[in-house]
Amino acid sequence: YDGLLAGQLDVALSRSLPAAAPKYLGSLEIYSDRLLAYLPSGHPLAQKLVLSLTDFAGSPMVLFKRSGAPNLYDQIIHACQEAGVSPWIASEPNSMQAVLTEVASGLGASIAPGCIRQLAMPGYLWRPLLEDCGGISFQLHYRTDEPEPATTAFVKMVQDKRPEIRKTVASPK
């Protein structure tokens, strides 16, 4: 986001921009993800096919660092609070790969975007959540004030490829 504002970047991939983002930044939703539960393979909840946020009450959790994705973090905390759960946050790593590594090592369970299940590694499993925690928009952001031809072409290519991308990263219902 800062690189777009400073004119250092013409495009960026991220979650939704802040509400105060300038009007010259265009956004294109590539796909909408949903939250899933991630558990160590031997976790007692691994027997269940669908989990509720209430299943995590009193259990250590690994959540992606708030400063890396404040809207995502707040969405997870809000969903937990709506379910009457106050999460016990054991760790806040700064990458989704590290979240899965810590889950696989048994440090705790996690609630995270479904797309990270594509980072296949041994030692963890994922389960859908009973609660609808809302969508997680993944977007392409670009400058519209003085677009370069390559930027315009790239945005068009991403727009054309969205159905294929969405099929690849679709989270289970």
Side-chain angles (χ1 to χ4, degrees):
Y1 174 67
D2 292 339
L4 286 170
L5 291 178
Q8 298 167 325
L9 297 175
D10 293 323
V11 296
L13 296 167
S14 73
R15 305 295 176 198
S16 299
L17 292 177
K23 299 284 186 230
Y24 64 82
L25 293 181
S27 295
L28 173 68
E29 182 175 87
I30 299 173
Y31 67 90
S32 183
D33 206 349
R34 56 184 298 193
L35 294 173
L36 297 177
Y38 294 87
L39 307 166
S41 294
H43 196 281
L45 293 174
Q47 313 297 352
K48 296 179 79 172
L49 299 179
V50 177
L51 297 174
S52 172
L53 292 170
T54 58
D55 291 328
F56 298 101
S59 297
M61 295 191 71
V62 177
L63 295 183
F64 184 73
K65 188 175 187 173
R66 185 181 191 282
S67 62
N71 291 342
L72 174 63
Y73 187 95
D74 293 348
Q75 182 178 0
I76 294 167
I77 297 299
H78 177 75
C80 288
Q81 290 172 340
E82 286 289 310
V85 175
S86 180
W88 166 18
I89 302 170
S91 179
E92 293 184 16
N94 62 4
S95 77
M96 289 297 182
Q97 185 71 50
V99 168
L100 291 180
T101 299
E102 291 186 12
V103 167
S105 71
L107 189 58
S110 186
I111 305 298
C115 64
I116 72 167
R117 74 188 189 290
Q118 307 281 345
L119 302 172
M121 60 180 284
Y124 80 92
L125 51 87
W126 58 268
R127 296 287 185 260
L129 290 167
L130 180 64
E131 295 85 358
D132 179 1
C133 301
I136 305 163
S137 183
F138 187 74
Q139 301 177 346
L140 172 69
H141 307 291
Y142 52 95
R143 296 183 63 102
T144 62
D145 51 346
E146 295 180 19
E148 297 287 333
T151 300
T152 303
F154 184 74
V155 171
K156 170 85 169 87
M157 180 186 69
V158 171
Q159 189 169 22
D160 292 346
K161 291 288 187 179
R162 281 190 304 178
E164 186 178 329
I165 295 167
R166 288 173 176 175
K167 193 182 302 183
T168 302
V169 297
S171 288
K173 303 279 182 196

